[in-house]
Amino acid sequence: MSTRPIGIGFIGAGAIAQNHHLPVYQKLRDEGLVDILALADVNDASVQATAERFKVPRTFHDYRDLLALDDLDAVVVCTPNYLHKQPAIDAFAAGKHVFVEKPIALDAIEGAAMVDAAHQAGKKLQVGYCMRFSTGATAVKRMVDDGKLGEIYHARCHALRRRGIPSWGVFTQKDKQGGGPLIDIGVHILDLTLWLMGHPEPASVSGQTFVKFGNREGVVGLLGQWDPKKFTVEDYAVGLIRFKSGATIVLESSFAANIAKDEFYTQLVGTEGGAYLNPRDIAETRLYREESGMLTDTTQFGLKPNVWHEGEIRSFIDAIASGKPSPVPGEEGLVVARILDALYESSETGKEVYL
Ligand SMILES: NC(=O)c1ccc[n+]([C@@H]2O[C@H](COP(=O)([O-])OP(=O)(O)OC[C@H]3O[C@@H](n4cnc5c(N)ncnc54)[C@H](O)[C@@H]3O)[C@@H](O)[C@H]2O)c1
């Protein structure tokens, strides 16, 4: 057990750091569990203001200066996807634990390098798949573990926006983001589904991506106006993932599509029951079964409100303090990255990709 507060530093202090991570770390600091030692961000004006707001004593332009701090135990990497790998590898080389925002990296090659670096350093790597910490997800996981679904042989998962192309950051640039909705929001629902299914081993992936809206002028932008000339990612992706167990997942993800409404859910289909879960809305947590000759639908009462960022961050700190394994290990983030790489490759080649 650690005897002093765990020293934390941030690499990247943009939207996710300010809106979700820093408020939780502030709470943990008040509880004496952590010290927030410094923020590193190349946007000097913004990082200064953020440090003042969250009472963080030091800021750096170059994250490597942050890594040299004596009391630093762990870093939270909240930079864009193309800047996950190098800061994480440098942090491991400096002997620090790493929490990296999702996805693990631009692709599986980068992700594998991070996992190797974590092993070599003997430090923890946690990937920011926060939706596992939704109270609805925790309940469905218990149903699965209790055998209420039987054998889960299929899952359908959707992360669909009708008109939700991001207008900020690098979310529409393939070289910096790695892809479109699939790597941004599809990863969340895919990771959640893999976790609920007990991480079956993937065998092959077949998929298709589309660009039908992002590169067009005059399309409605409910999340602001992006630049269609700089739109280099897909705006719709669909994939069929086959597992060595024989199970399958169908995944669909969009930034824009002519559909009735946004959808965010996973539906597990099992021999003894089915579960429907929208991790963002715990009211949408349901179990479907056949019992005593009757078809039954179970809805939830009494689930606690979601505090998923707090859940993932407390688990990270607990793993460091207690020596427990990472609750969302890099290896599991790497499986998601391998599936995504295969889906993009399948779309390009028109063939099923074997893993
Ligand atoms: N878990 C979630 O639900 C969730 C939600 C949103 C974003 N994210 C992830 O968080 C990451 C960041 O997303 P965001 O929305 O905060 O983006 P953002 O653009 O708001 O913030 C990124 C920050 O990184 C800084 N940065 C860029 N290059 C840097 C460098 N070399 N060194 C230090 N800082 C640098 C930028 O100045 C910016 O402040 C992405 O990987 C994204 O996928 C996760």
Side-chain angles (χ1 to χ4, degrees):
M1 266 320 242
S2 172
T3 49
R4 64 171 171 81
I6 291 167
I8 297 289
F10 274 72
I11 301 179
I16 187 78
Q18 292 176 39
N19 298 335
H20 296 292
H21 289 274
L22 280 162
V24 176
Y25 276 102
Q26 230 178 356
K27 203 165 156 184
L28 268 55
R29 181 175 59 193
D30 292 345
E31 294 174 20
L33 294 173
V34 303
D35 260 348
I36 315 172
L37 300 179
L39 310 178
D41 198 298
V42 290
N43 186 333
D44 297 324
S46 157
V47 74
Q48 198 52 47
T50 307
E52 279 165 28
R53 184 171 148 215
F54 290 98
K55 301 190 173 50
V56 180
R58 303 190 67 174
T59 64
F60 298 100
H61 181 88
D62 187 331
Y63 72 81
R64 288 169 296 191
D65 294 330
L66 179 148
L67 293 177
L69 291 178
D70 276 345
D71 286 345
L72 188 75
D73 297 298
V75 292
V76 184
V77 178
C78 291
T79 38
N81 298 351
Y82 76 105
L83 288 168
H84 286 185
K85 184 192 91 172
Q86 202 53 51
I89 286 178
D90 291 344
F92 288 129
K96 315 302 176 192
H97 303 285
V98 174
F99 180 106
V100 66
E101 256 308 337
K102 47 58 60 175
I104 188 167
L106 278 185
D107 56 32
I109 292 174
E110 291 194 357
M114 291 160 70
V115 169
D116 284 350
H119 282 167
Q120 273 172 29
K123 296 289 165 183
K124 296 187 197 306
L125 172 58
Q126 180 171 337
V127 187
Y129 285 119
C130 51
M131 292 192 181
R132 297 189 193 187
F133 297 85
S134 147
T135 52
T138 309
V140 172
K141 181 73 171 155
R142 277 182 64 184
M143 290 175 201
V144 172
D145 292 347
D146 291 348
K148 290 199 166 62
L149 274 65
E151 176 202 345
I152 301 169
Y153 55 90
H154 181 62
R156 306 160 60 195
C157 45
H158 282 182
L160 297 171
R161 291 184 189 152
R162 181 167 171 170
R163 290 290 186 278
I165 298 178
S167 57
W168 65 92
V170 298
F171 292 93
T172 58
Q173 297 172 41
K174 177 91 176 166
D175 59 332
K176 296 195 164 72
Q177 179 71 2
L182 184 62
I183 201 166
D184 188 33
I185 51 178
V187 286
H188 267 307
I189 207 73
L190 175 60
D191 174 77
L192 185 65
T193 306
L194 291 169
W195 175 67
L196 290 169
M197 290 174 78
H199 283 104
E201 201 179 333
S204 67
V205 180
S206 181
Q208 190 64 47
T209 65
F210 305 87
V211 192
K212 301 291 179 189
F213 294 91
N215 56 358
R216 264 159 55 184
E217 298 283 348
V219 171
V220 171
L222 295 183
L223 298 180
Q225 214 53 58
W226 69 99
D227 183 351
K229 288 185 224 61
K230 293 189 182 151
F231 189 93
T232 51
V233 298
E234 84 279 1
D235 50 37
Y236 203 106
V238 56
L240 169 68
I241 304 148
R242 293 176 198 274
F243 296 89
K244 291 191 175 158
S245 63
T248 49
I249 291 179
V250 168
L251 166 69
E252 290 187 42
S253 188
S254 70
F255 276 160
N258 284 327
I259 51 174
K261 59 180 172 53
D262 293 1
E263 288 181 8
F264 204 93
Y265 71 84
T266 184
Q267 180 145 28
L268 306 175
V269 186
T271 51
E272 304 303 315
Y276 180 97
L277 167 69
N278 175 353
R280 291 177 162 155
D281 182 357
I282 53 172
E284 294 185 33
T285 310
R286 297 182 205 119
L287 174 65
Y288 304 110
R289 282 167 59 91
E290 178 179 328
E291 284 166 311
S292 311
M294 192 167 78
L295 298 181
T296 57
D297 296 1
T298 307
T299 53
Q300 72 81 31
F301 288 94
L303 276 180
K304 290 194 178 133
N306 269 335
V307 281
W308 59 39
H309 286 294
E310 182 162 341
E312 66 176 353
I313 292 165
R314 282 193 186 277
S315 299
F316 180 55
I317 295 306
D318 182 46
I320 294 172
S322 66
K324 286 184 206 157
S326 165
V328 187
E331 288 80 355
E332 292 175 6
L334 185 54
V335 172
V336 173
R338 287 173 59 217
I339 292 173
L340 260 53
D341 286 0
L343 200 159
Y344 285 126
E345 185 186 332
S346 171
S347 180
E348 273 174 28
T349 60
K351 295 189 174 136
E352 185 151 12
V353 173
Y354 293 87
L355 297 166

